[in-house]
Amino acid sequence: MSGMSVSKPYSLIKKCRACHASSNQLMVGLEMDPMPLAGQFCATPEESQQAVSMPLSWVLCEHCGLVQALQDVDDRMLFRKYNYSSSTVGGLVRHFENYASLLSITYDAKSLRFLEIGCNDGVLIRRLPEEWVKCGVDPSDVARQSHAADDQQVYQLLSEPFTEALVAQQQWQGKWDVISGSNCLAHISDIRDVFEGVALALREGGEFWVEVHDLEALLSGFQWDTIYHEHKAEWSLDSLTYCLGILGFERVHYEKIPMHGGAIRCRFKKTGKKQQLPRDWKRYVHSIAALSEVYQKRHDHPTAVKFAKSAEKGEKIVAYGAAGRANVYLNQLPALPFDWIVDESPLRVGKYIPCVGTSIVSQKVLTEKQPEYCLITAWNYRDDIVRKNAQYRGEWFTAFKFMEDD
């Protein structure tokens, strides 16, 4: 697989992002229609029509089992205007409150040195014990703006990607007791470089906590709307354990958690003893093929058919949750002419979905307009959305199945 022309907004990866196996060990399993960046939201309808659509292919590494995007979009393009602030999502706030409590109980130490990769707006790191030495590394505009607006400055922020070179530059060798990364491993072009940086920065016996989307949950739920350019990698427990094991990490605990429609939380200890652990990538081939088939038949799904018929009758069709899933769903089903989509984040209200041009409106519009049906594109927060909109008298649907109010 060769790289693309420099005029392209993306290139093709030439090796596995995590284990650096050669490109001839990357098997294509799913190819989607071209679409814009899922994290892109446009200021005007004209800008939305000019948004760039890019192809997206899923490949499976036959060495470590990592599922990853073949197309690689430069991080500077992804994070210049990120439009995702974790603290605006109630479900995520509760998740990180619980996560912070777990970390605080696990490490009852006043002098702990804690580093977070991909800290976003500080939703986790701000909730950790005041006496800890805390540092966040995140290149996004959201991280910079949130940190600059914080008068207390409870943690240090480095506004750049986490790499092995950064660790050496900051003279962090063996400096940190605990390093954490929540969902950030999905957004990194060279994950092997990040893992090597973590191994260098942790002291011997130090621990690395990671939270990643669960590949098996994605496949079993046929969640094709979670596949987009920003999600450069999708992890199974086996592939994550293998890729860290070869660098001297031992997995000491893991659990499945409900965040983002299914995730894994793992805790690894730096032992320095490199190990080649078994992994079975072949068992995912059939599941990826089944997901591809469901994706190809997406126009025939009952929910899509329902909203298409409503549009044909001249009824307004609307949606709720202008996150990455909505960008994927609306762009992969462009024949569904949504009139508007509700979102609770002030970073998105007043903007437009790229390419399809759907306007993003505030929460109050739903209760004022009272459309007959509303599609929940942010289906992983369905219960929160229904609870917050008790005054809405219409009928809720989700992008993948019919759901009754409860």
Side-chain angles (χ1 to χ4, degrees):
M1 299 175 185
S2 59
M4 299 298 291
S5 164
V6 293
S7 62
K8 297 278 188 180
Y10 62 90
S11 61
L12 300 185
I13 59 174
K14 298 179 180 179
K15 58 187 177 183
C16 174
R17 300 175 187 275
C19 72
H20 285 182
S22 63
S23 60
N24 60 15
Q25 292 188 270
L26 302 178
M27 180 199 322
V28 177
L30 169 69
E31 295 186 85
M32 301 180 73
D33 288 351
M35 60 183 170
L37 293 176
Q40 180 180 5
F41 298 93
C42 302
T44 65
E46 294 74 22
E47 182 182 323
S48 73
Q49 294 303 313
Q50 297 169 3
V52 176
S53 286
M54 297 172 285
L56 181 59
S57 305
W58 244 18
V59 292
L60 172 64
C61 178
E62 297 178 2
H63 181 71
C64 71
L66 180 67
V67 173
Q68 54 207 290
L70 174 61
Q71 292 77 13
D72 189 68
V73 181
D74 190 280
D75 289 349
R76 289 168 294 185
M77 183 175 178
L78 293 183
F79 300 119
R80 185 176 64 249
K81 295 181 179 179
Y82 192 42
N83 291 302
Y84 190 92
S85 179
S86 298
S87 294
T88 64
V89 183
L92 277 182
V93 172
R94 291 194 299 274
H95 168 79
F96 284 112
E97 287 174 345
N98 293 332
Y99 189 21
S101 295
L102 173 62
L103 290 169
S104 302
I105 294 169
T106 303
Y107 304 106
D108 186 16
K110 293 185 177 180
S111 60
L112 190 90
R113 302 185 65 85
F114 180 92
L115 183 144
E116 184 180 11
I117 303 171
C119 61
N120 196 262
D121 60 8
V123 64
L124 169 66
I125 204 167
R126 294 179 194 278
R127 291 172 164 81
L128 295 174
E130 293 181 4
E131 59 268 24
W132 288 9
V133 175
K134 301 182 287 288
C135 178
V137 181
D138 192 313
S140 71
D141 57 335
V142 170
R144 288 193 302 273
Q145 293 165 7
S146 177
H147 190 260
D150 183 4
D151 295 334
Q152 296 182 344
Q153 298 286 297
V154 298
Y155 63 96
Q156 177 190 4
L157 175 69
L158 268 69
S159 183
E160 53 188 293
F162 181 88
T163 62
E164 186 179 18
L166 176 67
V167 173
Q169 175 191 337
Q170 296 293 319
Q171 298 183 338
W172 281 349
Q173 295 91 333
K175 180 176 181 179
W176 299 96
D177 300 304
V178 178
I179 298 177
S180 175
S182 293
N183 302 314
C184 63
L185 296 186
H187 305 299
I188 295 169
S189 294
D190 188 350
I191 303 167
R192 174 67 176 258
D193 182 43
V194 170
F195 286 169
E196 290 176 339
V198 170
L200 184 63
L202 277 175
R203 63 170 174 79
E204 202 67 30
E207 296 192 329
F208 182 33
W209 291 65
V210 294
E211 293 183 332
V212 293
H213 290 141
D214 181 3
L215 174 64
E216 293 185 356
L218 187 159
L219 292 174
S220 64
F222 304 106
Q223 300 174 23
W224 57 260
D225 65 331
T226 65
I227 302 171
Y228 42 85
H229 298 93
E230 289 91 336
H231 282 180
K232 298 183 177 187
E234 299 288 352
W235 292 93
S236 67
L237 182 62
D238 284 350
S239 60
L240 182 61
T241 304
Y242 174 81
C243 290
L244 283 165
I246 59 178
L247 296 177
F249 285 89
E250 176 187 352
R251 191 184 76 212
V252 296
H253 179 75
Y254 82 91
E255 60 183 308
K256 299 291 184 82
I257 54 179
M259 179 179 60
H260 293 312
I264 308 169
R265 175 187 288 155
C266 289
R267 177 181 174 187
F268 293 90
K269 182 182 290 291
K270 177 184 172 181
T271 65
K273 297 178 181 178
K274 300 179 181 181
Q275 49 186 334
Q276 294 271 349
L277 298 170
R279 61 278 183 206
D280 182 14
W281 60 267
K282 292 182 179 179
R283 64 193 177 103
Y284 296 113
V285 174
H286 175 75
S287 297
I288 293 172
L291 171 65
S292 180
E293 183 178 357
V294 169
Y295 165 74
Q296 296 299 332
K297 295 179 178 179
R298 64 195 182 279
H299 301 88
D300 300 325
H301 190 278
T303 301
V305 172
K306 167 70 179 175
F307 278 79
K309 288 180 178 179
S310 294
E312 289 173 2
K313 295 176 184 177
E315 299 172 348
K316 288 189 178 297
I317 59 172
V318 305
Y320 199 113
R325 284 179 169 87
N327 265 351
V328 176
Y329 189 84
L330 270 61
N331 273 281
Q332 294 294 332
L333 290 163
L336 297 180
F338 284 88
D339 292 87
W340 36 266
I341 182 168
V342 176
D343 200 80
E344 299 169 21
S345 171
L347 294 174
R348 299 174 189 150
V349 171
K351 295 183 178 180
Y352 299 83
I353 300 293
C355 295
V356 294
T358 307
S359 62
I360 304 172
V361 301
S362 64
Q363 189 176 7
K364 66 178 182 179
V365 175
L366 183 68
T367 51
E368 290 175 352
K369 300 291 186 181
Q370 290 290 334
E372 187 173 357
Y373 309 111
C374 183
L375 176 72
I376 301 178
T377 43
W379 51 263
N380 50 317
Y381 298 116
R382 187 260 180 191
D383 292 343
D384 276 351
I385 289 170
V386 172
R387 176 178 49 79
K388 290 178 181 178
N389 295 275
Q391 293 179 319
Y392 172 58
R393 299 185 297 273
E395 189 174 358
W396 296 104
F397 294 87
T398 67
F400 287 91
K401 60 181 179 180
F402 292 97
M403 299 185 74
E404 298 178 356
D405 291 343
D406 51 28

